[in-house]
Every structure is written in C-alpha cells, then in structure tokens.
Amino acid sequence: MAIEVRIPTILRSYTGGAKVVEGSGDTLSDLLADLDSRHAGLRGRLVTEAGALHRFVNVYVNDEDVRFLGALDAKLSDGDSITILPAVAGGAFGFAAAAAISQHSAAAVRRQSATAVDGDGRRGAVAAL
Amino acid sequence: MHVLSIDRSIIDAIVAHARRDHPDEACGVVAGPVGSDTPTRHIPMDNAARSMTFYEFDSMEHLRVWREMDDRDEEPVVIYHSHTATEAYPSRTDVSFAGEPGAHYLLVSTREPDSEEIRSFRIVDGVVTEEPVRIVEAGVDPHAVQSYMFGQSPATVDYECSGR
C-alpha cells in the first residue's frame, strides 16, 4: 500500500507530467521528502526555506485541509489520498494585504484546530507556489 | 493568439456577482469540458479574504469544486475576480499567485458605477499576455459575435505603493 498524491498542472513538470504519483511516509513531511527523492524540486515548491508549508499552497489529506491536521506534522496512513492545489488568490493590492490576511489566517487556524500546534503553515513568508 | 470566447449570459452572471460583492472583490470559476477551451458552467466562489483589495478561494470550497470538475471531466477554463477601485489588469499579486497556466484569467473592474471593464489574460510563468474577449450572444448566429479588445497600454499603476 502507498499514499496517492494528486499533483496540480503547474507542478507536473516535476513528475514527468503525471497527474497522480505514489509515495510513503508517516507524516506529510516524510512523504514530501520521499517524493522529492524521485521528483527532485517538488518539495521546494511546497515548503519554505524556513521549513513551513507555503502559505499559498493547499494540501489536503483525504477531505481535510492539512493545516487543520498539524500541517507538515500531519500523520498519514497507507491508503490516504493527498491532494495538492495551488491557492487561487490575488487582488488589486500587493503583499501588505496578503501579509495581513496571512496573519489573520494563522489566528483562525489556531482558533479552529486543537491538533495544529501553532498554525505553522499559515505563517510563512508570503510566497506563491 | 488566444481568444476567450464566452457566452453573454455567463459574462452577465460574472458582472452581477462582482456588483453584488462590491466594494469587496468577487471571485469564481467558469468550468468547461477538458480540452474544449469553452467555459460553460459558472461557479461563483466565496472570497474567504472578504477584502476590497485581496481575494482567496476558501480552501474547502476549492477542494470540493475542483473534485466536482474532475468528476465531470471539466477543468477551470476561466478564473475570474474583480478589482473594485482599479483597472482590470493583473496586479503583481495576481501574477505571482497565478497557479493555473491553462486558465483564462478574467478581470472585471467595478470602479465605475455604470460600466464594467472586462479583460482577459494568460498568466504563465509570471508572464502576462492579454487576449481578446469574444462575447457570444445566445440565440443568434454563433458567428455573429461582438469582439472586445482592450489593447491599450496599461496605465501606470503602482499596486505596491500602499501600505509598505
């Protein structure tokens, strides 16, 4: 058994065009390391240099936003299905607004999630996929 | 050159959505059959940011709608949002976040109360290319269409000047 990962169009250059790849790992962090060993560069599009999930990448474990499951520390099991979607975001004004939203969301995650320790994924630098 | 061909009824629905949410930015998708380049199903999305200067799809609604498109063999042909105080041209933020290289990025400006500016762009690897919008009138000869091309050089607008 393995973990199925659905890759969005914009990242398929890392997977030789494949829409779905498989990997393994006990946590999302482990899984991304495993994927990166075969699809070099993929992890770097999802994780910041500071080691947090990019703010504007959505990762789902089955039907849950991984930010509510502990972000990179989210526990995975064989048979889970991971979906990666680049956030659809933008707007008339620049990064000041985006940063404000980012902080707002970090607070929202802290409020909503008992398992996410600090809403890490929402707090990284503003960076797009 | 790419062209966005889209039914008048869908444009009208997008404009109505943008007007309804004004002065906040409105956003959404028009899905169409995979590979058809034809937008057929309008899906207004919540702006989770509820902001006059920023939009973001709600992550759970995003997943639900993208799965639904997958199940129906559709893809996001158009991704639209409104600018409510500036022109309908992609900001630097829009460009840096554009994650669907196959989509037409449609922008609607609602800054004028009585008229809308509607423009469409491809955004691939940070490069913005404007394309004509061809509005197809329903119930008439599909070849008899009205074309819009807002080909003027974009006015100089420094989107980053505020709040930095």
Side-chain angles (χ1 to χ4, degrees):
Chain A
M1 285 276 274
I3 296 166
E4 174 192 275
V5 184
R6 304 183 75 81
I7 304 292
T9 312
I10 198 168
L11 296 181
R12 288 180 201 159
S13 53
Y14 295 95
T15 60
K19 191 176 175 180
V20 179
V21 298
E22 290 196 341
S24 61
D26 292 337
T27 63
L28 180 60
S29 189
D30 294 345
L31 174 71
L32 294 181
D34 176 56
L35 291 179
D36 204 65
S37 68
R38 288 183 303 283
H39 310 291
L42 182 60
R43 182 179 181 280
R45 299 295 296 273
L46 306 174
V47 177
T48 64
E49 284 181 15
L53 200 60
H54 268 300
R55 159 74 177 90
F56 289 101
V57 179
N58 294 328
V59 181
Y60 307 89
V61 179
N62 304 318
D63 295 326
E64 292 276 350
D65 186 330
V66 77
R67 292 191 176 87
F68 300 111
L69 301 172
L72 287 170
D73 297 328
K75 296 278 184 283
L76 304 180
S77 309
D78 275 353
D80 278 345
S81 175
I82 307 296
T83 303
I84 301 168
L85 293 177
V88 180
F93 284 93
F95 295 106
I101 301 296
S102 171
Q103 280 155 22
H104 172 81
S105 299
V109 167
R110 281 195 294 275
R111 281 199 303 277
Q112 289 177 29
S113 173
T115 52
V117 180
D118 60 6
D120 233 357
R122 290 281 182 182
R123 220 171 34 192
V126 172
L129 186 54
Chain B
M1 186 186 200
H2 287 291
V3 177
L4 170 61
S5 291
I6 186 166
D7 272 8
R8 163 72 64 191
S9 60
I10 296 174
I11 286 289
D12 287 350
I14 289 171
V15 167
H17 180 202
R19 285 287 173 205
R20 200 160 62 234
D21 286 8
H22 185 92
D24 284 350
E25 293 194 3
C27 56
V29 177
V30 189
V34 170
S36 71
D37 200 31
T38 303
T40 54
R41 190 165 66 92
H42 173 221
I43 310 164
M45 303 284 285
D46 280 343
N47 177 1
R50 296 189 195 290
S51 162
M52 294 189 280
T53 55
F54 194 73
Y55 80 97
E56 182 178 15
F57 286 4
D58 172 80
S59 73
M60 295 315 295
E61 186 180 30
H62 187 179
L63 177 67
R64 183 171 56 71
V65 168
W66 256 242
R67 284 222 176 123
E68 195 177 85
M69 283 192 282
D70 248 9
D71 292 345
R72 299 166 61 121
D73 292 320
E74 292 174 334
E75 60 189 356
V77 178
V78 172
I79 294 176
Y80 72 87
H81 74 282
S82 62
H83 285 177
T84 59
T86 55
E87 66 172 335
Y89 190 85
S91 68
R92 263 183 254 171
T93 316
D94 292 333
V95 175
S96 65
F97 292 155
E100 293 286 352
H104 301 266
Y105 282 88
L106 186 78
L107 278 86
V108 177
S109 173
T110 55
R111 66 179 160 176
E112 301 294 338
D114 303 321
S115 66
E116 295 82 25
E117 186 189 17
I118 299 164
R119 297 167 71 177
S120 182
F121 305 85
R122 293 284 178 161
I123 307 177
V124 180
D125 293 334
V127 177
V128 178
T129 309
E130 182 156 15
E131 58 187 5
V133 179
R134 193 166 159 271
I135 297 182
V136 181
E137 304 287 349
V140 298
D141 178 349
H143 300 292
V145 298
Q146 194 174 1
S147 290
Y148 292 81
M149 177 69 191
F150 302 92
Q152 79 275 20
S153 303
T156 305
V157 177
D158 182 0
Y159 291 109
E160 311 298 339
C161 63
S162 142
R164 295 206 78 182

